[in-house]
Amino acid sequence: MTNLGIAREPPSGRTVGLLVAAVVAACTALAAVMVRGPGPAAATLAVPAPGAVLGRAGPSWAVVVPEGQPLRVRAPAIGVSADLVLLGLNPDGTLEVPGYDDAGWYSLGTRPGATGPAVIAAHLDSTSGPSVFHRLGELDPGDAVHVDYAEGTVTFVVRGSGSYEKDAFPTAFVYGPTPGPELRLITCDGSFDRRARSYSANLVVWAAAVPT
């Protein structure tokens, strides 16, 4: 997951589209998270498919977001507890990536707990073994995901998940506006092409914040 293509801004009522960089084939045993341009339906959220597990839609609500930056992500059901590093954009517009032992929050997007989709990405594995999001696909609707700040925690409840081939990544759903605070967890998925050193798909888990 050497490079993650990502929109410079998620679609909203104030933006006019996404500038998306091409995804570069990953080195080692990882693939890039692919984010394509939204096309003409950028302002709408597509129904996640195929292979999606849908939870009930959550209402719009307010969450108290602690000051400062998010420091850690925890998903007890799958044994995840990892430091969060800040991810920006590379000069070519692709998303910076965390180290193999960390998860990364897209710091130019929504803060976890604020209205909109906060995006956290992490590696699936490396040449030495499993990485932070190796068990991400085991999260079920109802499982909790916690994002820790220095002075508080925002808790999210998993609503669903889906595996998407790179040419069918649901950009508008992942980065588009939401009625309340939501979370998107992303890693690699699918089959691994040893020649291209890249996975064929991406796994997306989405969750809604617990109101405070």
Side-chain angles (χ1 to χ4, degrees):
M1 204 157 66
T2 303
N3 286 283
L4 309 181
I6 193 167
R8 293 185 181 277
E9 290 186 84
S12 72
R14 296 189 301 272
T15 58
V16 294
L18 304 179
L19 177 61
V20 181
V23 175
V24 181
C27 66
T28 68
L30 300 164
V33 171
M34 179 173 181
V35 179
R36 299 184 300 116
T44 62
L45 301 184
V47 175
V53 178
L54 294 173
R56 67 177 182 81
S60 175
W61 55 59
V63 171
V64 177
V65 184
E67 295 294 329
Q69 67 186 49
L71 302 176
R72 195 165 188 83
V73 60
R74 294 181 290 116
I78 58 172
V80 167
S81 182
D83 289 339
L84 278 175
V85 297
L86 304 185
L87 303 180
L89 296 176
N90 295 309
D92 64 356
T94 57
L95 183 66
E96 296 173 339
V97 296
Y100 296 118
D101 297 326
D102 301 319
W105 164 59
Y106 175 46
S107 62
L108 302 181
T110 303
R111 293 176 68 226
T115 298
V119 176
I120 293 177
H123 292 277
L124 176 70
D125 56 16
S126 71
T127 55
S128 61
S131 193
V132 173
F133 277 174
H134 185 73
R135 297 177 58 196
L136 188 65
E138 298 177 31
L139 282 177
D140 292 321
D143 287 340
V145 179
H146 310 286
V147 178
D148 297 328
Y149 290 78
E151 298 184 359
T153 296
V154 179
T155 296
F156 298 82
V157 175
V158 172
R159 287 167 49 192
S161 62
S163 181
Y164 306 93
E165 293 299 312
K166 290 184 178 180
D167 61 356
F169 190 90
T171 304
F173 177 79
V174 171
Y175 296 98
T178 61
E182 298 197 11
L183 185 67
R184 309 290 191 249
L185 305 175
I186 305 175
T187 194
C188 302
D189 199 26
S191 60
F192 182 70
D193 185 333
R194 293 186 179 277
R195 178 174 297 181
R197 307 188 71 81
S198 174
Y199 282 95
S200 63
N202 295 122
L203 175 67
V204 181
V205 172
W206 54 93
V210 175
T212 54

